[in-house]
């Protein structure tokens, strides 16, 4: 079957878009250039891949915590215990999927300096999409490339 001319087709020249969705008062669609609006951080990291060995990269971009906080997660910022139920689910173009917890990146808890990279080794990620950078991860599996969606989810428990 041929492709219909009226069907929307992904435009390879268009900047990749990331959807911030879930339990957010201000869900958003962001491009990689949009990520330059937040304070930029740099991280030199190495991580191991089971198939390709140790990789070394220099990433730059905002803190994931800053980007997600601007989308106003549905918790009371003044109440620390309220945040502990929230998960962050990151999805890539190919369906690769990884979870973080909110507490992991929260300055009051795990304080992991996780970036949402806009640039790797001086190459902008405008076309491929942003990439989470987890300097404390020994393995590279959560460096999801080509992120299309980040879902903040606070529906976890308590179950009775
Ligand atoms: N979208 C996507 N991102 C991904 C993966 C994947 O399969 N899909 N594999 C992960 C794994 S297992 C590793 S180790 C790193 C590998 O990074 P590299 O491609 O720079 O070697 O990418 C991670 N990011
Ligand atoms: Mo890997």
């Amino acid at each position: 079957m041929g492709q219909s001319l009226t069907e929307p087709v992904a435009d390879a020249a268009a900047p990749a878009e990331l959807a911030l969705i879930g339990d957010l008062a201000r869900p958003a669609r962001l491009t990689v250039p949009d990520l330059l609006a937040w304070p930029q951080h740099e991280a030199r990291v190495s991580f191991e891949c089971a198939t390709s060995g140790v990789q070394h990269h220099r990433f730059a971009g905002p803190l994931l915590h800053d980007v997600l906080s601007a989308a106003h997660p549905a918790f009371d910022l003044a109440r620390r215990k309220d945040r502990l139920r929230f998960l962050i689910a990151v999805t890539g173009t190919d369906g690769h999927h990884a979870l973080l917890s909110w507490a992991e990146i929260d300055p009051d808890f795990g304080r992991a300096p996780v970036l949402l990279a806009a640039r790797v080794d001086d190459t902008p990620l405008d076309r491929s999409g942003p990439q989470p950078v987890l300097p404390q991860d020994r393995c590279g599996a959560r460096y999801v490339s080509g992120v299309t969606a980040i879902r903040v989810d606070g529906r976890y428990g308590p179950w009775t």
Side-chain angles (χ1 to χ4, degrees):
M1 291 292 281
Q3 192 168 39
S4 156
L5 289 174
T6 53
E7 215 168 87
V9 178
D11 181 353
E17 262 196 350
L18 151 70
L20 301 183
I21 55 176
D23 298 324
L24 300 168
R26 292 189 193 165
R29 298 191 73 86
L30 299 173
T31 64
V32 167
D34 290 336
L35 296 178
L36 304 177
W38 283 273
Q40 301 294 294
H41 297 254
E42 199 174 84
R44 288 169 192 272
V45 300
S46 44
F47 55 78
E48 188 184 321
C49 176
T51 50
S52 55
V54 178
Q55 318 274 323
H56 303 272
H57 291 293
R58 188 161 45 86
F59 289 98
L63 289 170
L64 178 63
H65 186 265
D66 286 349
V67 176
L68 296 182
S69 296
H72 291 212
F75 49 62
D76 182 350
L77 265 172
R79 295 181 61 233
R80 294 174 188 175
K81 285 163 80 174
D82 212 23
R83 297 175 229 154
L84 304 181
R85 293 175 296 112
F86 282 73
L87 290 183
I88 300 165
V90 181
T91 306
T93 37
D94 59 352
H96 182 51
H97 195 62
L99 298 179
L100 292 79
S101 71
W102 185 275
E104 187 176 352
I105 62 165
D106 191 301
D108 288 328
F109 295 97
R111 298 190 289 181
V114 175
L115 305 186
L116 190 56
R119 188 158 58 80
V120 57
D121 303 324
D122 296 323
T123 304
L125 292 170
D126 296 29
R127 299 273 173 260
S128 43
Q131 185 167 16
V133 174
L134 303 102
Q136 296 164 333
D137 279 19
R138 195 184 69 76
C139 297
R142 290 202 294 178
Y143 285 69
V144 179
S145 58
V147 173
T148 54
I150 300 181
R151 183 182 183 88
V152 176
D153 203 323
R155 74 197 149 128
Y156 289 90
W159 289 279
T160 51

